[in-house]
Amino acid sequence: MSSLIYLDNGATSFPKPEVVYTAMDTFYRQYGVNPGRSGFDLCLEAGSLVDRTRKLLRDFFGGTDPNRLVFGYNSTDALNLAIFGLVNPGDHVVTTHLEHNSSLRPLWALEHESGVKVDWVDFDAQGWVDPQELIDRITPGTRAVVMNHGSNVIGTVQDVAPIGRVCREQGVHLILDVSQTAGVVPVDLETLGADVICFTGHKSLMGPMGIGGMYVREGVEIRHTRAGGTGVKSAQRHHLDEYPYRMEYGTPNLPGIAGLHAGVHWVLEQGMAKLHEHEMRLWTSLRDGLREVPGVILYCAEDVPGRERISVLSFNVEGLEAADTGTMLDVDHNIACRTGLHCTPMVHEHLGTDQIHGAVRFGIGPFNTQAHIDAAIAAVAEIASLRAVRS
Ligand SMILES: Cc1ncc(COP(=O)(O)O)c(C=O)c1O
């Protein structure tokens, strides 16, 4: 059988650039010690890696203070810390139906356990939230807007800047989930008007799994919802208030930081715009090819002038469960995709695909080629034609 065609980059990018593997291996072999805890040379070297990566990501997100770039496991971790640490019982929060469970579930918990009122804004037929509709939901009692920058199901990138402007004017915290966009679409704290940017390292930033974090704007003080070792001020009984320690707990994921550092450098060297253009060229080819296949239903895949997208595409083959299409792509064609609800149940409820156990999603990454796309279109066409013969 031909070698695997990996089209599940929306879940995680794979493979990684060679420099990422090298950086992780080098870290553990040459200076794999706990940073910031002692003064010996290796410890300082490990600490320097952390500091340099904070600065790199501070610049990447257009922040001002590297200490406000805090590391955690992933964006789920960061979103939990930001949401539970900024929203108080009885507050009002505005969010959207495009949210991933990483913010949907914390918000649901606050709504059901802490009397937080959550307003859910829907997206239109093409997959975009109308910024004015969201802004209209902001009231004097609104504490935060929590929103997904780029959809992991339909790929639409939301027009966040007008929402951010109003949030800044009205003192509302904008907590932005950039899991899918960071690394392919510019994410600038000031342009977008965000207070907290939550990122994960293992998607388009090209780092490994288990490393992510957030950038917290100066003046925004997130309440501690955890406490633990920081390696400094150890006699102090309450957790430190100063960033980055305020939001970091225990030994950080140093091999992850080493890999992320290399991944972000690789993205910057390639050029984000160039990577995005490559992926979107393949996305358009995939979309156009699948459009021609009888029995294929595409979701929110129309071009809308002036609107931005990232390279995930969801579809179903008429009469087939998404999981069955996925199994045939895997077993018969050696193509990896992602099927189901993609941790975003409200998107599928809106599309009606929750009734058929979700959709099939292709996620295109920097190492995909036109040959991969051609093979994927041919494979879906074969599956659709077999289905047509059987029915
Ligand atoms: C939009 C979005 N938000 C959040 C996440 C969660 O990312 P992680 O699992 O790395 O925390 C994902 C991952 O698929 C995502 O696509």
Side-chain angles (χ1 to χ4, degrees):
M1 181 180 275
S2 58
S3 58
L4 173 79
I5 295 177
Y6 184 77
L7 284 172
D8 195 17
N9 289 279
T12 197
S13 54
F14 178 78
K16 303 297 177 187
E18 203 51 43
V19 286
V20 172
Y21 303 124
T22 307
M24 296 179 75
D25 186 75
T26 303
F27 164 74
Y28 247 131
R29 287 181 196 280
Q30 297 186 7
Y31 57 108
V33 303
N34 209 328
R37 268 61 173 168
S38 314
F40 57 90
D41 283 354
L42 289 192
C43 178
L44 296 178
E45 203 174 333
S48 154
L49 170 68
V50 177
D51 292 344
R52 283 182 287 119
T53 312
R54 278 195 212 287
K55 288 189 180 131
L56 181 67
L57 285 162
R58 181 267 322 259
D59 292 345
F60 191 84
F61 293 124
T64 46
D65 178 359
N67 288 330
R68 287 196 165 246
L69 188 292
V70 297
F71 292 112
Y73 310 130
N74 47 41
S75 49
T76 303
D77 189 38
L79 284 160
N80 270 264
L81 288 172
I83 293 170
F84 286 116
L86 282 175
V87 179
N88 305 307
D91 280 345
H92 175 242
V93 174
V94 184
T95 188
T96 83
H97 282 163
L98 285 157
E99 301 317 304
H100 186 275
N101 276 338
S102 49
S103 39
L104 189 157
R105 285 179 172 164
L107 290 173
W108 192 91
L110 285 172
E111 193 174 21
H112 290 83
E113 293 159 17
S114 305
V116 169
K117 168 90 184 74
V118 183
D119 252 330
W120 303 88
V121 181
D122 208 354
F123 51 96
D124 64 20
Q126 315 299 338
W128 278 276
V129 169
D130 175 358
Q132 193 55 48
E133 194 185 334
L134 194 148
I135 290 165
D136 288 345
R137 306 282 185 100
I138 295 176
T139 67
T142 306
R143 174 78 172 160
V145 169
V146 179
M147 71 182 290
N148 187 350
H149 192 202
S151 167
N152 57 312
V153 183
I154 49 178
T156 49
V157 175
Q158 301 308 319
D159 186 9
V160 173
I163 298 167
R165 270 197 296 279
V166 173
C167 286
R168 289 272 175 101
E169 278 162 23
Q170 303 199 11
V172 173
H173 296 301
L174 173 59
I175 302 171
L176 197 60
D177 172 3
V178 302
S179 303
Q180 291 286 341
T181 47
V184 275
V185 171
V187 175
D188 181 75
L189 188 82
E190 291 308 312
T191 309
L192 298 177
D195 270 3
V196 187
I197 284 175
C198 299
F199 66 95
T200 200
H202 64 100
K203 296 183 194 273
S204 294
L205 292 175
M206 304 309 288
M209 298 174 197
I211 185 70
M214 57 182 149
Y215 185 85
V216 186
R217 186 163 80 105
E218 284 185 63
V220 176
E221 308 306 343
I222 301 177
R223 197 173 46 244
H224 306 284
T225 47
R226 286 185 200 151
T230 50
V232 296
K233 298 194 181 170
S234 292
Q236 187 173 307
R237 296 301 196 269
H238 61 85
H239 194 86
L240 275 59
D241 282 329
E242 58 265 37
Y243 289 88
Y245 308 110
R246 188 182 182 100
M247 290 289 119
E248 289 184 355
Y249 314 88
T251 302
N253 175 0
L254 259 285
I257 291 174
L260 179 57
H261 188 265
V264 173
H265 264 300
W266 184 85
V267 167
L268 294 172
E269 270 164 30
Q270 302 296 309
M272 234 175 8
K274 204 174 121 217
L275 291 170
H276 190 218
E277 192 190 311
H278 166 77
E279 293 176 11
M280 288 315 298
R281 193 167 34 77
L282 297 182
W283 182 92
T284 304
S285 167
L286 178 65
R287 190 272 316 266
D288 292 350
L290 291 183
R291 241 184 203 163
E292 300 303 314
V293 178
V296 166
I297 307 155
L298 296 170
Y299 301 107
C300 297
E302 295 306 315
D303 293 317
V304 178
R307 301 291 196 142
E308 186 85 83
R309 276 188 182 284
I310 49 166
S311 58
V312 293
L313 181 65
S314 287
F315 69 98
N316 271 310
V317 175
E318 236 166 53
L320 278 182
E321 292 265 325
D324 293 335
T325 306
T327 303
M328 286 186 255
L329 283 168
D330 174 26
V331 175
D332 300 335
H333 301 276
N334 211 7
I335 295 176
C337 64
R338 174 83 186 269
T339 65
L341 297 182
H342 313 100
C343 298
T344 41
M346 287 180 164
V347 172
H348 287 283
E349 283 160 20
H350 174 118
L351 299 173
T353 40
D354 58 318
Q355 301 299 316
I356 49 171
H357 305 122
V360 185
R361 181 186 71 189
F362 284 140
I364 297 165
F367 298 116
N368 286 126
T369 63
Q370 185 62 46
H372 295 160
I373 300 305
D374 294 343
I377 296 166
V380 174
E382 189 181 307
I383 292 166
S385 69
L386 289 175
R387 165 73 206 151
V389 169
R390 278 196 218 108
S391 59

